[in-house]
Amino acid sequence: MAKAEEPCPLSGHPNRKVRTIAGAQIVFDGEGFLRNPEDWPEEVARSLAAESGLKEWGETHWQLIRFMRAYYFQHGCVPMNRDLKAGVKMTLMDLEALFPGGIRGGARRVAGLPNPKTCAG
């Protein structure tokens, strides 16, 4: 797994940080969410998951991450909990337990999706 460099402030934007992960410079907000979901290669997911304390990474994690990203790019918003449950056929409790930080602070961050605080509705 590629080691991520320490974040450095993006000039003029104190709430944005630029980090190099897997050879790519990626802009994050102050809470560690990607500013642009299109800047997300899968190696970023592995690095962010490891940083969050996720010790084991398997196909179930990828299933959730890929569903969340596909839904986001198809619908322009992140899936609601009911959509997640139906899309990956897991209970909400099982989904929350997959990532440290649960769905919002864990899976959503690892998937490279926007900060929940920046989304309307």
PDB file of all heavy atoms in Angstrom, residues 15-45:
ATOM      1  N   ASN A  15      -9.126  25.601   4.923  1.00  0.00           N
ATOM      2  CA  ASN A  15      -9.894  24.392   5.157  1.00  0.00           C
ATOM      3  C   ASN A  15      -9.681  23.328   4.094  1.00  0.00           C
ATOM      4  O   ASN A  15     -10.406  22.351   4.044  1.00  0.00           O
ATOM      5  CB  ASN A  15     -11.386  24.726   5.255  1.00  0.00           C
ATOM      6  CG  ASN A  15     -11.678  25.546   6.488  1.00  0.00           C
ATOM      7  OD1 ASN A  15     -11.020  25.383   7.513  1.00  0.00           O
ATOM      8  ND2 ASN A  15     -12.639  26.433   6.383  1.00  0.00           N
ATOM      9  N   ARG A  16      -8.698  23.524   3.248  1.00  0.00           N
ATOM     10  CA  ARG A  16      -8.373  22.537   2.218  1.00  0.00           C
ATOM     11  C   ARG A  16      -6.931  22.094   2.398  1.00  0.00           C
ATOM     12  O   ARG A  16      -6.063  22.896   2.710  1.00  0.00           O
ATOM     13  CB  ARG A  16      -8.563  23.113   0.818  1.00  0.00           C
ATOM     14  CG  ARG A  16      -9.998  23.436   0.531  1.00  0.00           C
ATOM     15  CD  ARG A  16     -10.162  23.934  -0.870  1.00  0.00           C
ATOM     16  NE  ARG A  16     -11.537  24.375  -1.078  1.00  0.00           N
ATOM     17  CZ  ARG A  16     -11.948  24.969  -2.156  1.00  0.00           C
ATOM     18  NH1 ARG A  16     -11.121  25.205  -3.150  1.00  0.00           N
ATOM     19  NH2 ARG A  16     -13.204  25.338  -2.275  1.00  0.00           N
ATOM     20  N   LYS A  17      -6.698  20.826   2.166  1.00  0.00           N
ATOM     21  CA  LYS A  17      -5.363  20.260   2.275  1.00  0.00           C
ATOM     22  C   LYS A  17      -5.068  19.470   1.008  1.00  0.00           C
ATOM     23  O   LYS A  17      -5.935  18.787   0.482  1.00  0.00           O
ATOM     24  CB  LYS A  17      -5.268  19.313   3.474  1.00  0.00           C
ATOM     25  CG  LYS A  17      -5.776  19.898   4.771  1.00  0.00           C
ATOM     26  CD  LYS A  17      -4.668  20.500   5.557  1.00  0.00           C
ATOM     27  CE  LYS A  17      -5.159  20.948   6.910  1.00  0.00           C
ATOM     28  NZ  LYS A  17      -5.219  22.356   7.093  1.00  0.00           N
ATOM     29  N   VAL A  18      -3.831  19.556   0.545  1.00  0.00           N
ATOM     30  CA  VAL A  18      -3.392  18.763  -0.592  1.00  0.00           C
ATOM     31  C   VAL A  18      -2.525  17.639  -0.048  1.00  0.00           C
ATOM     32  O   VAL A  18      -1.602  17.878   0.740  1.00  0.00           O
ATOM     33  CB  VAL A  18      -2.588  19.607  -1.606  1.00  0.00           C
ATOM     34  CG1 VAL A  18      -2.066  18.719  -2.735  1.00  0.00           C
ATOM     35  CG2 VAL A  18      -3.441  20.725  -2.161  1.00  0.00           C
ATOM     36  N   ARG A  19      -2.849  16.430  -0.445  1.00  0.00           N
ATOM     37  CA  ARG A  19      -2.069  15.267  -0.041  1.00  0.00           C
ATOM     38  C   ARG A  19      -1.668  14.489  -1.277  1.00  0.00           C
ATOM     39  O   ARG A  19      -2.387  14.483  -2.276  1.00  0.00           O
ATOM     40  CB  ARG A  19      -2.902  14.358   0.872  1.00  0.00           C
ATOM     41  CG  ARG A  19      -3.300  15.034   2.155  1.00  0.00           C
ATOM     42  CD  ARG A  19      -4.140  14.142   3.021  1.00  0.00           C
ATOM     43  NE  ARG A  19      -3.447  12.904   3.299  1.00  0.00           N
ATOM     44  CZ  ARG A  19      -4.040  11.837   3.808  1.00  0.00           C
ATOM     45  NH1 ARG A  19      -5.314  11.840   4.106  1.00  0.00           N
ATOM     46  NH2 ARG A  19      -3.334  10.743   4.037  1.00  0.00           N
ATOM     47  N   THR A  20      -0.530  13.824  -1.189  1.00  0.00           N
ATOM     48  CA  THR A  20      -0.099  12.947  -2.262  1.00  0.00           C
ATOM     49  C   THR A  20      -0.343  11.512  -1.829  1.00  0.00           C
ATOM     50  O   THR A  20       0.207  11.060  -0.827  1.00  0.00           O
ATOM     51  CB  THR A  20       1.385  13.162  -2.601  1.00  0.00           C
ATOM     52  OG1 THR A  20       1.572  14.537  -2.962  1.00  0.00           O
ATOM     53  CG2 THR A  20       1.820  12.269  -3.750  1.00  0.00           C
ATOM     54  N   ILE A  21      -1.187  10.830  -2.573  1.00  0.00           N
ATOM     55  CA  ILE A  21      -1.499   9.423  -2.309  1.00  0.00           C
ATOM     56  C   ILE A  21      -1.374   8.689  -3.629  1.00  0.00           C
ATOM     57  O   ILE A  21      -1.952   9.098  -4.636  1.00  0.00           O
ATOM     58  CB  ILE A  21      -2.920   9.250  -1.739  1.00  0.00           C
ATOM     59  CG1 ILE A  21      -3.069  10.026  -0.429  1.00  0.00           C
ATOM     60  CG2 ILE A  21      -3.236   7.772  -1.527  1.00  0.00           C
ATOM     61  CD1 ILE A  21      -4.457   9.975   0.158  1.00  0.00           C
ATOM     62  N   ALA A  22      -0.608   7.609  -3.618  1.00  0.00           N
ATOM     63  CA  ALA A  22      -0.406   6.799  -4.826  1.00  0.00           C
ATOM     64  C   ALA A  22       0.084   7.652  -5.992  1.00  0.00           C
ATOM     65  O   ALA A  22      -0.323   7.471  -7.124  1.00  0.00           O
ATOM     66  CB  ALA A  22      -1.683   6.044  -5.190  1.00  0.00           C
ATOM     67  N   GLY A  23       0.931   8.628  -5.691  1.00  0.00           N
ATOM     68  CA  GLY A  23       1.529   9.455  -6.717  1.00  0.00           C
ATOM     69  C   GLY A  23       0.653  10.579  -7.250  1.00  0.00           C
ATOM     70  O   GLY A  23       1.072  11.318  -8.126  1.00  0.00           O
ATOM     71  N   ALA A  24      -0.562  10.696  -6.735  1.00  0.00           N
ATOM     72  CA  ALA A  24      -1.469  11.747  -7.201  1.00  0.00           C
ATOM     73  C   ALA A  24      -1.673  12.784  -6.106  1.00  0.00           C
ATOM     74  O   ALA A  24      -1.785  12.428  -4.934  1.00  0.00           O
ATOM     75  CB  ALA A  24      -2.814  11.139  -7.587  1.00  0.00           C
ATOM     76  N   GLN A  25      -1.713  14.055  -6.495  1.00  0.00           N
ATOM     77  CA  GLN A  25      -2.016  15.110  -5.532  1.00  0.00           C
ATOM     78  C   GLN A  25      -3.530  15.273  -5.491  1.00  0.00           C
ATOM     79  O   GLN A  25      -4.169  15.494  -6.526  1.00  0.00           O
ATOM     80  CB  GLN A  25      -1.338  16.411  -5.925  1.00  0.00           C
ATOM     81  CG  GLN A  25       0.152  16.349  -5.716  1.00  0.00           C
ATOM     82  CD  GLN A  25       0.736  17.732  -5.552  1.00  0.00           C
ATOM     83  OE1 GLN A  25       0.168  18.723  -5.967  1.00  0.00           O
ATOM     84  NE2 GLN A  25       1.883  17.785  -4.908  1.00  0.00           N
ATOM     85  N   ILE A  26      -4.082  15.150  -4.282  1.00  0.00           N
ATOM     86  CA  ILE A  26      -5.529  15.163  -4.109  1.00  0.00           C
ATOM     87  C   ILE A  26      -5.882  16.209  -3.063  1.00  0.00           C
ATOM     88  O   ILE A  26      -5.240  16.299  -2.022  1.00  0.00           O
ATOM     89  CB  ILE A  26      -6.034  13.773  -3.688  1.00  0.00           C
ATOM     90  CG1 ILE A  26      -5.651  12.750  -4.766  1.00  0.00           C
ATOM     91  CG2 ILE A  26      -7.536  13.781  -3.458  1.00  0.00           C
ATOM     92  CD1 ILE A  26      -5.905  11.323  -4.397  1.00  0.00           C
ATOM     93  N   VAL A  27      -6.939  16.978  -3.330  1.00  0.00           N
ATOM     94  CA  VAL A  27      -7.385  18.020  -2.415  1.00  0.00           C
ATOM     95  C   VAL A  27      -8.465  17.441  -1.497  1.00  0.00           C
ATOM     96  O   VAL A  27      -9.438  16.845  -1.962  1.00  0.00           O
ATOM     97  CB  VAL A  27      -7.940  19.240  -3.186  1.00  0.00           C
ATOM     98  CG1 VAL A  27      -8.427  20.309  -2.221  1.00  0.00           C
ATOM     99  CG2 VAL A  27      -6.882  19.801  -4.130  1.00  0.00           C
ATOM    100  N   PHE A  28      -8.258  17.648  -0.197  1.00  0.00           N
ATOM    101  CA  PHE A  28      -9.200  17.217   0.831  1.00  0.00           C
ATOM    102  C   PHE A  28      -9.731  18.436   1.558  1.00  0.00           C
ATOM    103  O   PHE A  28      -9.067  19.467   1.625  1.00  0.00           O
ATOM    104  CB  PHE A  28      -8.497  16.320   1.858  1.00  0.00           C
ATOM    105  CG  PHE A  28      -8.122  14.962   1.338  1.00  0.00           C
ATOM    106  CD1 PHE A  28      -6.960  14.780   0.607  1.00  0.00           C
ATOM    107  CD2 PHE A  28      -8.929  13.863   1.600  1.00  0.00           C
ATOM    108  CE1 PHE A  28      -6.602  13.536   0.130  1.00  0.00           C
ATOM    109  CE2 PHE A  28      -8.575  12.610   1.126  1.00  0.00           C
ATOM    110  CZ  PHE A  28      -7.414  12.437   0.388  1.00  0.00           C
ATOM    111  N   ASP A  29     -10.905  18.289   2.164  1.00  0.00           N
ATOM    112  CA  ASP A  29     -11.389  19.364   3.024  1.00  0.00           C
ATOM    113  C   ASP A  29     -10.758  19.194   4.405  1.00  0.00           C
ATOM    114  O   ASP A  29      -9.972  18.281   4.632  1.00  0.00           O
ATOM    115  CB  ASP A  29     -12.924  19.409   3.071  1.00  0.00           C
ATOM    116  CG  ASP A  29     -13.566  18.276   3.852  1.00  0.00           C
ATOM    117  OD1 ASP A  29     -12.862  17.474   4.510  1.00  0.00           O
ATOM    118  OD2 ASP A  29     -14.810  18.184   3.827  1.00  0.00           O
ATOM    119  N   GLY A  30     -11.099  20.078   5.334  1.00  0.00           N
ATOM    120  CA  GLY A  30     -10.509  20.051   6.657  1.00  0.00           C
ATOM    121  C   GLY A  30     -10.855  18.826   7.482  1.00  0.00           C
ATOM    122  O   GLY A  30     -10.206  18.541   8.479  1.00  0.00           O
ATOM    123  N   GLU A  31     -11.867  18.056   7.060  1.00  0.00           N
ATOM    124  CA  GLU A  31     -12.273  16.858   7.793  1.00  0.00           C
ATOM    125  C   GLU A  31     -11.846  15.574   7.099  1.00  0.00           C
ATOM    126  O   GLU A  31     -12.235  14.483   7.500  1.00  0.00           O
ATOM    127  CB  GLU A  31     -13.778  16.868   8.013  1.00  0.00           C
ATOM    128  CG  GLU A  31     -14.219  18.009   8.925  1.00  0.00           C
ATOM    129  CD  GLU A  31     -15.713  17.983   9.181  1.00  0.00           C
ATOM    130  OE1 GLU A  31     -16.262  16.902   9.449  1.00  0.00           O
ATOM    131  OE2 GLU A  31     -16.323  19.060   9.101  1.00  0.00           O
ATOM    132  N   GLY A  32     -11.061  15.696   6.031  1.00  0.00           N
ATOM    133  CA  GLY A  32     -10.526  14.515   5.371  1.00  0.00           C
ATOM    134  C   GLY A  32     -11.366  13.941   4.247  1.00  0.00           C
ATOM    135  O   GLY A  32     -11.114  12.838   3.783  1.00  0.00           O
ATOM    136  N   PHE A  33     -12.360  14.690   3.778  1.00  0.00           N
ATOM    137  CA  PHE A  33     -13.168  14.247   2.642  1.00  0.00           C
ATOM    138  C   PHE A  33     -12.597  14.842   1.361  1.00  0.00           C
ATOM    139  O   PHE A  33     -12.168  16.000   1.353  1.00  0.00           O
ATOM    140  CB  PHE A  33     -14.626  14.700   2.802  1.00  0.00           C
ATOM    141  CG  PHE A  33     -15.371  13.966   3.867  1.00  0.00           C
ATOM    142  CD1 PHE A  33     -15.327  14.407   5.187  1.00  0.00           C
ATOM    143  CD2 PHE A  33     -16.115  12.840   3.574  1.00  0.00           C
ATOM    144  CE1 PHE A  33     -16.012  13.742   6.189  1.00  0.00           C
ATOM    145  CE2 PHE A  33     -16.812  12.165   4.568  1.00  0.00           C
ATOM    146  CZ  PHE A  33     -16.753  12.618   5.882  1.00  0.00           C
ATOM    147  N   LEU A  34     -12.601  14.063   0.280  1.00  0.00           N
ATOM    148  CA  LEU A  34     -12.129  14.579  -0.999  1.00  0.00           C
ATOM    149  C   LEU A  34     -12.998  15.745  -1.443  1.00  0.00           C
ATOM    150  O   LEU A  34     -14.217  15.716  -1.281  1.00  0.00           O
ATOM    151  CB  LEU A  34     -12.183  13.493  -2.078  1.00  0.00           C
ATOM    152  CG  LEU A  34     -10.933  12.629  -2.228  1.00  0.00           C
ATOM    153  CD1 LEU A  34     -10.787  11.663  -1.087  1.00  0.00           C
ATOM    154  CD2 LEU A  34     -10.966  11.907  -3.546  1.00  0.00           C
ATOM    155  N   ARG A  35     -12.379  16.774  -2.010  1.00  0.00           N
ATOM    156  CA  ARG A  35     -13.121  17.918  -2.543  1.00  0.00           C
ATOM    157  C   ARG A  35     -13.756  17.557  -3.889  1.00  0.00           C
ATOM    158  O   ARG A  35     -14.788  18.078  -4.247  1.00  0.00           O
ATOM    159  CB  ARG A  35     -12.190  19.119  -2.722  1.00  0.00           C
ATOM    160  CG  ARG A  35     -11.594  19.643  -1.443  1.00  0.00           C
ATOM    161  CD  ARG A  35     -12.570  20.333  -0.567  1.00  0.00           C
ATOM    162  NE  ARG A  35     -13.069  21.537  -1.227  1.00  0.00           N
ATOM    163  CZ  ARG A  35     -13.993  22.319  -0.712  1.00  0.00           C
ATOM    164  NH1 ARG A  35     -14.505  22.061   0.451  1.00  0.00           N
ATOM    165  NH2 ARG A  35     -14.392  23.376  -1.367  1.00  0.00           N
ATOM    166  N   ASN A  36     -13.108  16.669  -4.643  1.00  0.00           N
ATOM    167  CA  ASN A  36     -13.590  16.305  -5.968  1.00  0.00           C
ATOM    168  C   ASN A  36     -13.642  14.775  -6.075  1.00  0.00           C
ATOM    169  O   ASN A  36     -12.601  14.132  -6.186  1.00  0.00           O
ATOM    170  CB  ASN A  36     -12.668  16.891  -7.032  1.00  0.00           C
ATOM    171  CG  ASN A  36     -13.162  16.615  -8.425  1.00  0.00           C
ATOM    172  OD1 ASN A  36     -14.208  16.014  -8.635  1.00  0.00           O
ATOM    173  ND2 ASN A  36     -12.393  17.045  -9.409  1.00  0.00           N
ATOM    174  N   PRO A  37     -14.833  14.170  -6.064  1.00  0.00           N
ATOM    175  CA  PRO A  37     -14.933  12.712  -6.124  1.00  0.00           C
ATOM    176  C   PRO A  37     -14.273  12.071  -7.345  1.00  0.00           C
ATOM    177  O   PRO A  37     -13.908  10.904  -7.304  1.00  0.00           O
ATOM    178  CB  PRO A  37     -16.447  12.462  -6.130  1.00  0.00           C
ATOM    179  CG  PRO A  37     -17.030  13.664  -5.487  1.00  0.00           C
ATOM    180  CD  PRO A  37     -16.135  14.805  -5.900  1.00  0.00           C
ATOM    181  N   GLU A  38     -14.096  12.844  -8.417  1.00  0.00           N
ATOM    182  CA  GLU A  38     -13.450  12.299  -9.615  1.00  0.00           C
ATOM    183  C   GLU A  38     -11.955  12.066  -9.416  1.00  0.00           C
ATOM    184  O   GLU A  38     -11.323  11.381 -10.213  1.00  0.00           O
ATOM    185  CB  GLU A  38     -13.667  13.231 -10.817  1.00  0.00           C
ATOM    186  CG  GLU A  38     -15.087  13.237 -11.348  1.00  0.00           C
ATOM    187  CD  GLU A  38     -15.998  14.199 -10.594  1.00  0.00           C
ATOM    188  OE1 GLU A  38     -15.511  14.985  -9.746  1.00  0.00           O
ATOM    189  OE2 GLU A  38     -17.214  14.152 -10.848  1.00  0.00           O
ATOM    190  N   ASP A  39     -11.371  12.632  -8.357  1.00  0.00           N
ATOM    191  CA  ASP A  39      -9.935  12.477  -8.090  1.00  0.00           C
ATOM    192  C   ASP A  39      -9.599  11.190  -7.350  1.00  0.00           C
ATOM    193  O   ASP A  39      -8.521  11.054  -6.818  1.00  0.00           O
ATOM    194  CB  ASP A  39      -9.422  13.652  -7.232  1.00  0.00           C
ATOM    195  CG  ASP A  39      -9.390  14.942  -8.004  1.00  0.00           C
ATOM    196  OD1 ASP A  39      -9.458  14.907  -9.241  1.00  0.00           O
ATOM    197  OD2 ASP A  39      -9.301  15.998  -7.347  1.00  0.00           O
ATOM    198  N   TRP A  40     -10.482  10.234  -7.322  1.00  0.00           N
ATOM    199  CA  TRP A  40     -10.386   9.054  -6.479  1.00  0.00           C
ATOM    200  C   TRP A  40      -9.976   7.817  -7.259  1.00  0.00           C
ATOM    201  O   TRP A  40     -10.790   7.245  -7.965  1.00  0.00           O
ATOM    202  CB  TRP A  40     -11.756   8.813  -5.846  1.00  0.00           C
ATOM    203  CG  TRP A  40     -11.875   7.657  -4.926  1.00  0.00           C
ATOM    204  CD1 TRP A  40     -11.715   7.669  -3.582  1.00  0.00           C
ATOM    205  CD2 TRP A  40     -12.237   6.318  -5.262  1.00  0.00           C
ATOM    206  NE1 TRP A  40     -11.956   6.434  -3.053  1.00  0.00           N
ATOM    207  CE2 TRP A  40     -12.279   5.577  -4.080  1.00  0.00           C
ATOM    208  CE3 TRP A  40     -12.520   5.670  -6.453  1.00  0.00           C
ATOM    209  CZ2 TRP A  40     -12.590   4.224  -4.044  1.00  0.00           C
ATOM    210  CZ3 TRP A  40     -12.830   4.313  -6.424  1.00  0.00           C
ATOM    211  CH2 TRP A  40     -12.866   3.607  -5.229  1.00  0.00           C
ATOM    212  N   PRO A  41      -8.705   7.386  -7.126  1.00  0.00           N
ATOM    213  CA  PRO A  41      -8.374   6.039  -7.607  1.00  0.00           C
ATOM    214  C   PRO A  41      -8.555   5.056  -6.438  1.00  0.00           C
ATOM    215  O   PRO A  41      -8.588   5.455  -5.273  1.00  0.00           O
ATOM    216  CB  PRO A  41      -6.895   6.154  -8.014  1.00  0.00           C
ATOM    217  CG  PRO A  41      -6.363   7.246  -7.160  1.00  0.00           C
ATOM    218  CD  PRO A  41      -7.516   8.175  -6.856  1.00  0.00           C
ATOM    219  N   GLU A  42      -8.691   3.791  -6.724  1.00  0.00           N
ATOM    220  CA  GLU A  42      -8.926   2.809  -5.661  1.00  0.00           C
ATOM    221  C   GLU A  42      -7.820   2.793  -4.609  1.00  0.00           C
ATOM    222  O   GLU A  42      -8.080   2.484  -3.452  1.00  0.00           O
ATOM    223  CB  GLU A  42      -9.139   1.416  -6.250  1.00  0.00           C
ATOM    224  CG  GLU A  42     -10.487   1.285  -6.927  1.00  0.00           C
ATOM    225  CD  GLU A  42     -10.844  -0.121  -7.341  1.00  0.00           C
ATOM    226  OE1 GLU A  42      -9.994  -1.036  -7.230  1.00  0.00           O
ATOM    227  OE2 GLU A  42     -11.988  -0.318  -7.789  1.00  0.00           O
ATOM    228  N   GLU A  43      -6.615   3.123  -4.976  1.00  0.00           N
ATOM    229  CA  GLU A  43      -5.518   3.153  -3.998  1.00  0.00           C
ATOM    230  C   GLU A  43      -5.793   4.171  -2.888  1.00  0.00           C
ATOM    231  O   GLU A  43      -5.381   3.990  -1.746  1.00  0.00           O
ATOM    232  CB  GLU A  43      -4.183   3.453  -4.682  1.00  0.00           C
ATOM    233  CG  GLU A  43      -2.983   3.371  -3.755  1.00  0.00           C
ATOM    234  CD  GLU A  43      -2.812   2.015  -3.093  1.00  0.00           C
ATOM    235  OE1 GLU A  43      -3.066   0.980  -3.726  1.00  0.00           O
ATOM    236  OE2 GLU A  43      -2.413   2.000  -1.903  1.00  0.00           O
ATOM    237  N   VAL A  44      -6.501   5.240  -3.216  1.00  0.00           N
ATOM    238  CA  VAL A  44      -6.873   6.226  -2.199  1.00  0.00           C
ATOM    239  C   VAL A  44      -7.769   5.561  -1.151  1.00  0.00           C
ATOM    240  O   VAL A  44      -7.612   5.773   0.047  1.00  0.00           O
ATOM    241  CB  VAL A  44      -7.572   7.443  -2.827  1.00  0.00           C
ATOM    242  CG1 VAL A  44      -8.197   8.335  -1.774  1.00  0.00           C
ATOM    243  CG2 VAL A  44      -6.584   8.241  -3.666  1.00  0.00           C
ATOM    244  N   ALA A  45      -8.703   4.733  -1.602  1.00  0.00           N
ATOM    245  CA  ALA A  45      -9.595   4.037  -0.670  1.00  0.00           C
ATOM    246  C   ALA A  45      -8.796   3.169   0.294  1.00  0.00           C
ATOM    247  O   ALA A  45      -9.042   3.181   1.501  1.00  0.00           O
ATOM    248  CB  ALA A  45     -10.603   3.182  -1.436  1.00  0.00           C
TER     249      ALA A  45
END
